[in-house]
Amino acid sequence: MDLPKWLLEDAEKRIKPYDVEGFVLGQGYENAEVVIVGEAPGENEAVKEEPFIGRAGDELDKQLAYIGLQREDIYITSTVRSRPYKWVKTNKKGTNGKRKANRKPNKKEILAHAPILDYQLEKISPSLIIALGGVAYERLTGRKEKMSEVLGEVIETPIMKLKDDEYQPSHQNFIIFPLYHPAAVFYNPKIKEDIYASLDNLKAYLDKHNLLTKT
């Protein structure tokens, strides 16, 4: 997706003060009915400039296949386009005893890239937005519920858009469907049953509203 030069330059300026690296704009079908919003790139994504690759990407592809979608059918984007990192200790040779580790983006980093997400969602105007994880869900809705409380629900709501450095609800309602981030199952295998129950709900919604094919 082509973005205005001023928007990219503004995002670069806004994110510069923070410990982030790389830039992943997004990827997929630009007339998609379904948009996935994730959290932020990880190390591999930042290097290759592609969203959801590696283990998390494999898990996402598996979940998409389960509900009858492929990456070519949807558009994938995120709340922050650069990889947030922190320095941690390591015993690995050649690292001087430290390495960069992924971390959750902070509110200022999310705000820095908020205009890009606003632009993409306005441009695509999807019928359904899948929020992968709590960071994406809160950025879109402004709500702070635990993911376990809203997992697999169909939520019709305005989404938060940045105006004059403050979030304001959109005039238009969107359909938000919260799911766990694909990587969550690696850290907590017990949620696998809940994940697939939520995917069953999502597939039923997609079937009912004929959103399983490109239009």
Side-chain angles (χ1 to χ4, degrees), residues 24 32-33 57 62 82 116 136 158 161 181 210:
V24 182
E33 295 285 354
K62 185 166 69 174
S82 300
I116 295 180
K161 302 183 73 174
H181 191 282
N210 298 313

Side-chain angles (χ1 to χ4, degrees), residues 1 18-19 22 33 41 47 63 68 82-83 85 88 102-103 107 119 122 134 146 148 151 164 168 175 179 182 188 206:
M1 177 182 292
Y18 308 110
D19 290 332
E33 295 285 354
V47 171
Q63 293 182 15
S82 300
R83 176 204 180 194
Y85 66 83
V88 298
N102 295 336
R103 63 169 173 80
K107 292 184 182 299
Y119 181 91
E122 185 173 344
K146 293 180 180 178
S148 58
L151 182 68
D164 299 326
Q168 298 181 14
I175 301 297
L179 292 177
N188 186 8
L206 295 170

Side-chain angles (χ1 to χ4, degrees), residues 9-186:
E9 289 176 346
D10 182 60
E12 184 178 2
K13 180 181 177 181
R14 285 170 171 266
I15 203 71
K16 192 172 183 179
Y18 308 110
D19 290 332
V20 300
E21 61 184 4
F23 185 85
V24 182
L25 178 59
Q27 189 179 66
Y29 182 43
E30 294 182 15
N31 294 313
E33 295 285 354
V34 179
V35 168
I36 287 180
V37 179
E39 182 176 297
E43 181 179 8
N44 293 330
E45 287 85 357
V47 171
K48 296 187 177 181
E49 298 184 350
E50 294 180 35
F52 283 101
I53 56 179
R55 289 181 72 204
D58 291 343
E59 181 63 26
L60 177 61
D61 289 341
K62 185 166 69 174
Q63 293 182 15
L64 289 174
Y66 181 80
I67 60 176
L69 288 175
Q70 299 178 8
R71 290 194 185 219
E72 302 84 63
D73 304 323
I74 61 177
Y75 194 84
I76 302 176
T77 184
S78 59
T79 60
V80 177
R81 310 314 163 105
S82 300
R83 176 204 180 194
Y85 66 83
K86 60 183 177 181
W87 288 103
V88 298
K89 294 180 180 179
T90 179
N91 294 323
K92 190 174 180 179
K93 292 182 179 179
T95 61
N96 293 321
K98 61 180 182 178
R99 66 175 179 84
K100 291 177 181 177
N102 295 336
R103 63 169 173 80
K104 181 178 175 180
N106 63 43
K107 292 184 182 299
K108 291 182 178 180
E109 291 160 349
I110 293 170
L111 186 141
H113 281 172
I116 295 180
L117 181 58
D118 292 343
Y119 181 91
Q120 289 180 315
L121 292 178
E122 185 173 344
K123 189 92 171 175
I124 298 172
S125 189
S127 298
L128 175 69
I129 303 174
I130 299 173
L132 293 182
V135 169
Y137 177 76
E138 183 177 343
R139 163 63 180 90
L140 289 166
T141 66
R143 304 176 187 175
K144 297 183 178 182
E145 293 110 320
K146 293 180 180 178
M147 287 303 294
S148 58
E149 297 173 350
V150 295
L151 182 68
E153 292 186 9
V154 177
I155 300 171
E156 184 173 357
T157 180
I159 59 174
M160 304 309 292
K161 302 183 73 174
L162 193 68
K163 185 176 181 180
D164 299 326
D165 278 344
E166 290 187 1
Y167 292 111
Q168 298 181 14
S170 62
H171 298 296
Q172 175 188 358
N173 278 358
F174 289 81
I175 301 297
I176 308 295
F177 196 97
L179 292 177
Y180 284 128
H181 191 282
V185 72
F186 304 145

